[in-house]
Amino acid sequence: VAQALSLGAGSCPLSGNDDSGSERGPLEPPSGPDSLGNSLEFHATLRRHRMSLATIRTVARLGNELRERTERAGRELAALVEAGSGRQIGTILGGETTSADIELHLDAMRPDRPYVHLHTHPTSSSFSDLDASILLTHAPLRAIVAIGRDGTWYVLSKSPGRRPASPARGMLAYREALYALLPKYQRLVQSGQLDDAAAWRQHTHEAWEQFAPALGLRYDRFEGR
Amino acid sequence: MAEGRRWPSPQEVLDKARRGVLDDRMAAVPPYDLDPDEILSAEEAAELDRLIAEEEQQQRP
C-alpha cells in the first residue's frame, strides 16, 4: 500500500513554462544532481527529453531527495512532475523495498498534459520492463526517470513525432535483448570480472541502449557519484 | 507469480503496468543463475506475438 510522505503538492514554487524549450532569461547553471558533478551535461540531456527548465529543476531536486530518502529508508519512492510547468503533482509515494503503488499519480494525470514520473531503484539497475510498460500504457506520461541508490540516473522518454510501441511489443523487445545478452554477462560473472549486481546494472543498460530507438523511445544514463 | 518462479511473467508485468504498480523484483534478481526461460520462454514469446497482433489490429482504421 502506498504511503504518502511529507512533500506535498505544489511544494516547488517554480514558475510555469511551456515545454517547448523556449524559456528566456539569464542562463544560470541548473540545479542538477549534486552527485553527478556536471549539471550542465545533465541539463542538456534532459532538454533532449523535451523537459522545460522548470521541469529539469524540479526533477533534479526531487530525484536527489528521493535517492537520499531511499538510501536512508531502504525502500522505493516515487514522484510525479507536470512536464510543462515543472510543478510537482501530488505527494511522494513510498512503497516496499522494491515496489511502490503509483496509482494515485496515474489517476492525477490529465489526459491533455504531459508528465514525468520519477522513482528510485534501490538496486541501481536500469529500467525494468514494468517501468517501460507503465510509460507505454499511460499516454500522458512523456518520460520516466529512475534514480539508483548509487546515484546513477536513467531517463526514458517518448520520441517526438513517432508513435511509441505498444506495451506488449516493448516487453518482447526488452526480454529478447536481455536473453540475447545473457551469455555475455554470465561469462563475466562466472569469470569473476563482475559480481551479479554490477553485471545486472550493465546488462540492463546495454539492453536499453540497443532497442529503445526501435520502440520510439529515447534512453540516457548518467553515471552517479 | 508461479510457484518457484522468481521473475514475473510478461502477462503479470503488463497487468501491473495497467494498475500502476511498480515492482522491481526483477531488478533485485539478476538472472545469472536462473533458468533462461524465466526471461522469455517460447510460450511467452508466442503469447506476446499474439498480443501485439491484437493491438495492431485494433489500431487499423
Side-chain angles (χ1 to χ4, degrees):
Chain A
V1 177
Q3 294 172 297
L5 300 183
S6 61
L7 261 188
S11 61
C12 181
L14 293 167
S15 59
N17 282 307
D18 68 23
D19 60 342
S20 62
S22 62
E23 299 92 339
R24 294 290 183 267
L27 182 62
E28 56 181 287
S31 53
D34 298 336
S35 59
L36 293 175
N38 187 350
S39 60
L40 287 176
E41 183 188 344
F42 175 81
H43 175 85
T45 300
L46 291 197
R47 291 290 266 189
R48 288 194 284 274
H49 288 269
R50 296 187 292 154
M51 294 187 202
S52 67
L53 180 58
T55 303
I56 293 170
R57 286 175 168 162
T58 308
V59 165
R61 176 183 62 77
L62 274 174
N64 281 326
E65 175 163 355
L66 294 181
R67 187 188 62 75
E68 287 166 10
R69 288 188 181 196
T70 289
E71 197 160 23
R72 286 200 303 270
R75 63 192 180 128
E76 190 159 335
L77 299 171
L80 181 67
V81 177
E82 191 182 276
S85 66
R87 277 192 316 129
Q88 183 189 349
I89 305 296
T91 57
I92 290 177
L93 299 176
E96 307 298 327
T97 305
T98 58
S99 68
D101 185 339
I102 59 165
E103 189 179 6
L104 288 173
H105 285 161
L106 300 176
D107 287 348
M109 295 191 302
R110 288 176 46 158
D112 57 340
R113 293 189 181 172
Y115 296 87
V116 179
H117 196 266
L118 299 89
H119 69 279
T120 48
H121 275 182
T123 58
S124 302
S125 55
S126 188
F127 295 108
S128 67
D129 48 9
L130 177 53
D131 297 332
S133 296
I134 286 173
L135 175 67
L136 295 171
T137 298
H138 300 278
L141 275 182
R142 173 180 290 176
I144 54 174
V145 179
I147 306 103
R149 194 172 180 169
D150 68 354
T152 304
W153 290 57
Y154 304 94
V155 188
L156 189 66
S157 68
K158 294 167 182 165
S159 299
R162 293 196 52 191
R163 179 192 291 228
S166 69
R169 188 173 286 285
M171 165 75 64
L172 185 60
Y174 177 79
R175 296 216 176 185
E176 282 180 337
L178 287 184
Y179 199 104
L181 290 166
L182 186 62
K184 171 183 173 179
Y185 286 96
Q186 279 177 323
R187 281 195 298 275
L188 289 168
V189 169
Q190 286 161 5
S191 66
Q193 294 177 71
L194 293 176
D195 63 23
D196 270 16
W200 186 231
R201 286 195 292 273
Q202 189 58 29
H203 189 169
T204 49
H205 169 64
E206 186 174 350
W208 276 109
E209 279 199 316
Q210 282 187 5
F211 70 83
L215 298 179
L217 302 173
R218 180 183 179 92
Y219 169 75
D220 283 292
R221 176 178 76 171
F222 294 92
E223 295 292 347
R225 355 178 218 193
Chain B
M1 190 156 58
E3 190 176 345
R5 181 172 184 149
R6 288 191 283 169
W7 271 35
S9 70
Q11 190 59 57
E12 188 181 353
V13 170
L14 294 172
D15 289 343
K16 286 192 170 187
R18 276 191 288 275
R19 298 202 317 269
V21 179
L22 287 172
D23 183 345
D24 289 325
R25 273 178 298 169
M26 291 180 301
V29 185
Y32 307 118
D33 63 347
L34 298 184
D35 177 348
D37 272 6
E38 281 206 35
I39 296 178
L40 187 68
S41 68
E43 293 78 13
E44 288 166 347
E47 175 64 9
L48 286 170
D49 281 336
R50 188 188 63 75
L51 287 174
I52 291 166
E54 270 183 18
E55 287 165 348
E56 290 177 349
Q57 182 71 30
Q58 287 167 4
Q59 286 169 3
R60 287 197 190 117

